[in-house]
Amino acid sequence: MDIIGEILISAALIVSGIFGFVGSFGLVRLRNTLQRLHAPTKATTLGVGGMLVASMIWFYVEKGQFSFHELLITMFLFLTAPITAHFIAKVYMVQHLRSDDLPPSGTGEGWSPYDDAPEDRRTP
């Protein structure tokens, strides 16, 4: 294996290990749900993404072919993590906050978990 490939793989694994550790530590250490939400969606996602990048580099250097499986897994992970975080934040808001506790939305309309859409924006 080429020394540059080994260095790139090692660097990706070290970075992914650091992000994975920080994300796991944050998930255990942070106090409430909204603070814990950042650990798995950001740090741990980057940790798994770094590991998949290292796997892609290994397949390219060792086997001489590009592995699309890891690329698809990485894209799926980066697309689904923010959506999951959004849903978890909305559920937390509905269960723990009143609409009076929130700042104004800045649009003249209320927050979506609490208020219905205006009449002119509803779909038939």
Side-chain angles (χ1 to χ4, degrees):
M1 187 180 304
D2 189 13
I3 189 73
I4 301 208
E6 290 179 359
I7 291 172
L8 287 174
I9 292 169
S10 299
L13 287 175
I14 289 170
V15 168
S16 70
I18 291 170
F19 274 114
F21 176 74
V22 168
S24 301
F25 184 73
L27 188 62
V28 172
R29 191 76 176 131
L30 295 173
R31 290 177 289 210
N32 66 18
T33 304
L34 288 181
Q35 290 177 342
R36 286 185 186 149
L37 190 61
H38 293 286
T41 57
K42 295 195 178 32
T44 310
T45 302
L46 290 173
V48 173
M51 195 176 329
L52 290 167
V53 167
S55 176
M56 285 172 34
I57 295 170
W58 184 84
F59 270 106
Y60 184 72
V61 170
E62 185 70 25
K63 304 285 186 184
Q65 61 187 12
F66 186 75
S67 176
F68 287 103
H69 296 98
E70 284 86 356
L71 183 63
L72 291 174
I73 293 169
T74 304
M75 287 176 28
F76 179 76
L77 185 67
F78 286 156
L79 289 174
T80 57
I83 295 168
T84 305
H86 178 74
F87 283 136
I88 292 171
K90 278 190 137 184
V91 168
Y92 180 84
M93 283 176 58
V94 169
Q95 289 182 346
H96 293 93
L97 299 174
R98 296 183 320 224
S99 65
D100 299 336
D101 297 336
L102 299 171
S105 64
T107 62
E109 301 166 6
W111 289 84
S112 64
Y114 303 104
D115 296 335
D116 289 333
E119 290 293 328
D120 59 340
R121 293 199 183 181
R122 290 187 185 172
T123 56

